[in-house]
Every structure is written in structure tokens, then in C-alpha cells.
Amino acid sequence: MHTTVGIVGAGPAGLLLARLLHRAGIDCVVLESRDRAYVERRQRAGILEQPTVDALREAGAAQGLDARGLVHDGIELRWDRRSHRIDFPSLTGGRRVWVYAQTEVVKDLVALQLDDGPPLVFEATVTSVEGADTDRPVVRYTHRGREERLDCAYVVGCDGFHGVTRAAIPESARRTYDRVYPYSWLGIMADVPPSCDELIYAHSPRGFALHSMRSPEVSRLYLQVPGGTDPADWSDTRIWDELDARFAVDGDWELRRGPITAKSVLPMRSSVTEPMRYGRVLLAGDAAHIVPPTGAKGLNLAVADVVVLARALERLHTTGSADLLDAYSATCLRRVWRAEHFSSFMTTTLHTAPDRSGFDTRLQHAQLDRIADSPHAAAELAQNYAGLPLP
Ligand code: RFL
Ligand code: PHB
């Protein structure tokens, strides 16, 4: 098989890139190692920033989002039994965020692609990408027990943090920067209406907690737990009691409890691989960078990468100019490092490090007080959270 752009991975990055290229008249093929049901069920992010929503709308992939997405104009921060609301539109010149699960984004994009899009091959496991520095890179993969190859003009690795495309860039030409945080998140899904209209990010001496949601009927909550925690050690009652303690605030607020339908632990780390292009191989989304989820940036960064990349490939296709493609890595990395900084800031401001001192805790409170007292500090948070405009 051959194509213009071979895309490895059908997560949000690969699927949206395929959609954008298809609309620009550029041939592509998406190879995905998992089956459709698995890809559509994988529970991950829940917050779409304004530029992500704009991109999905422009790609004609926002029908579900516009019908069922929940528009949020702010978030609440809690610490020291106090709360402070950050209002996005007034601090960002009108931007807001949408609560719409990654599972829904993926389902919408898969349906569009199977209906009227370029080939999307499930259960096609890419084993290697070869010839990054040649004119015809090759993707080798296995499908239905057979070894196959896809000859391409360009290959884009949208295969996530554990993907294989990154290895197509020789070790001598790439560098990875990373940080592992000394805690994880225990995430739960509960069949109970959310106890808040907007997300609550809570810092407490017992650790961080986040109240999010999936719909008016389903709550999504997270607790900071030690790395290596087994979800089986957390009974439902223990989880609700701990959430109650961490969200405690003066005034009358109550956390609604309900049946917990899923529990999982996710590690927290930051990682960036540079550059995001080598010859005719490009990386996008988690394949190139990951962030801790505290800033809700992972999915949004993946979308930003592929919007920049699709624009660059379209320019090459229509004018023959490779200028945007040559700038791809630097353009994306500037946004990536901004998001890494914001995610790290949110993480270290709100979590309780195992080796913290009283001094550290007071610095965290001073930072949170500053956000509450200063419109400038609040605006910095709001602009990063609601999404900086795409370049
Ligand atoms: P994805 O979504 O990981 O998709 C990569 C796809 O590539 C496929 N793949 C392969 N296909 C063929 N051959 C191979 N050799 C392949 N190797 C891998 C995979 O099966 C998969 O379908 O990356 P993408 O598209 O870049 O999208 C990025 C987002 O998924 C990610 O940034 C966020 O979900 C991160 N993230 C979260 N972000 C948030 O903002 N809030 C969250 O609550 C949140 N929770 C999470 C997360 C990421 C998680 N991972 C990666 C462990 C929870 C988890 C568990
Ligand atoms: C989620 O709803 O899963 C979610 C929301 C905000 C975050 C992280 C995860 O910062």
C-alpha cells in the first residue's frame, strides 16, 4: 500500500489530522493497533479549551460537542477551607472551556472517518518506521497475522507516549526532557449528578482533589495518592470520605455520593522529545510530549500540533512551499513548553509533596492568595487554562 501521509495511531491527534488532511485533498492512511471498541472506550481527558473547540468546528467534527458539550465559564480553587472562582470570559476577553469527554471526541471522529474519510485500519500494529531521512519512508506493520508495509511521502507518529514512531528519529538526533512526580491520581467515575456547576481544584494538607464531570448525571473525581497505589486498596467509602475531607470548605456545600463505576490510577509525569520532526517523520501529540493532567492540557496540545501540521502540509501540497513544515517543530515546541510550564505550575501549586516542609506549604498558600487577590495573577491562570490562541 502507498499513500502521501501515513499516520500511526488513531487517538485524537491521528484522527483529527486525518480529517484535516482529507478536507485539504491530501491522501492519508491511519494505522491503529487496537480495535475500534477499545479506542472508543479509553477513559481520559475531559476538558476542551477554546482553540480545540474552534479546531473541531472548523474540521466539521463538532456536531456532538455542540449538542452535548457543557460550556464552563470558570473553575473554582479551594484551599484552607476557602474558595475562589476564576472567571474565564472576563479575564481572557471572552474565552471559555467545554466539558466533553475524549471518548466522545474519538467516537465522533471515528464515525466521520469511517463514513466519508481516508482509510482507518484497526488492529494494525506498527512495528517500525524506516527511512526518515529518505524521500519514501516506510511504515511496517502487522495486520491479521500478516506483515505489511505502507510506503509514504511523510509519516506522522500520533502513537502516544508508548508508540514506536519516536524511535525512527536516531538517538543522536533527539533529546527527551522529563520529570516524574512523586504521586499519582486515583480517578473515579460515579453515577451521581456533579456536586458543582464548574470544576473544583482543591489543595489540602491531605493532598489534591479534583471534582470534574462527564454529564449532568455522571461525576468524574480524582484524588492525589502515593505512586504505586493499588485501586483495590481504596473502598468506595474510603474514597468518598477522603474526597469529603479534601473538598471541605466553610459554608454549606455538600459532596453527593453515588455508585462508583470505575477506578483507576494514573501516574503523573512531564516529558518532551525534541525535535518533533526529523526528515520526513513528524511527531504529534503524546508521541512527542506529555503533561501531568492538572492543567487539562494533554488532549488540547495534541489538537494544536495537528492543526499546525495540517496547515503546513496543505501549504506544501498547494504551493510547493515547505516553509511551514520546516517551522513545525519550533512552532509547536513553543506552545508545548508553555503548557509544560502551566501544567507543572498547577501541579506543584495544588499537590502536597511527600517531602514538603511547612515553608513549602506556606509558599503554596501565598501563591493561591495571590491568584485570589490579583486580577493579573488570576488572568495568567485563566488565559493558560482556557487556551492561548493558536499561532
Ligand atoms: P493517544 O490518545 O495516546 O493515542 C495514540 C494512539 O496510538 C495507538 N498506538 C499505535 N497504533 C499503531 N501501532 C502502534 N505501534 C501504536 N502504538 C500506539 C494507540 O493505541 C492510540 O490509539 O495520543 P494522542 O492522539 O496524542 O492524544 C493525546 C491524549 O490522549 C492525551 O494527551 C490525554 O488523554 C492525556 N490524559 C489526560 N489529559 C487530560 O487533559 N486530562 C486527563 O484527565 C487525562 N487523563 C491522559 C489521561 C492520558 C492517559 N494515558 C496516556 C496513560 C489518562 C491516561 C490513562
Ligand atoms: C477530567 O474531567 O477528566 C479532567 C478535568 C480537568 C483536569 C483533568 C482531568 O485538569
Side-chain angles (χ1 to χ4, degrees), residues 128-140 149-155 165 167-170 278-282:
S128 68
V129 175
E130 294 161 14
D133 52 358
T134 69
D135 284 350
R136 290 303 282 176
V138 176
V139 179
R140 296 194 185 278
R149 63 182 280 167
L150 177 64
D151 293 83
C152 312
Y154 289 90
V155 177
T165 312
I169 305 180
Y278 180 80
R280 287 176 175 256
V281 170
L282 302 109

Side-chain angles (χ1 to χ4, degrees), residues 202-209 223-226 234 238-239 241-248 350-353 356 361:
H203 166 72
S204 92
R206 307 176 69 98
F208 169 77
L223 279 173
Q224 175 189 342
V225 291
W234 283 77
R238 183 177 175 203
I239 290 173
D241 287 349
E242 191 60 33
L243 286 166
D244 252 335
R246 295 191 192 183
F247 286 118
L350 292 166
H351 287 70
T352 305
R356 74 195 177 283
T361 305

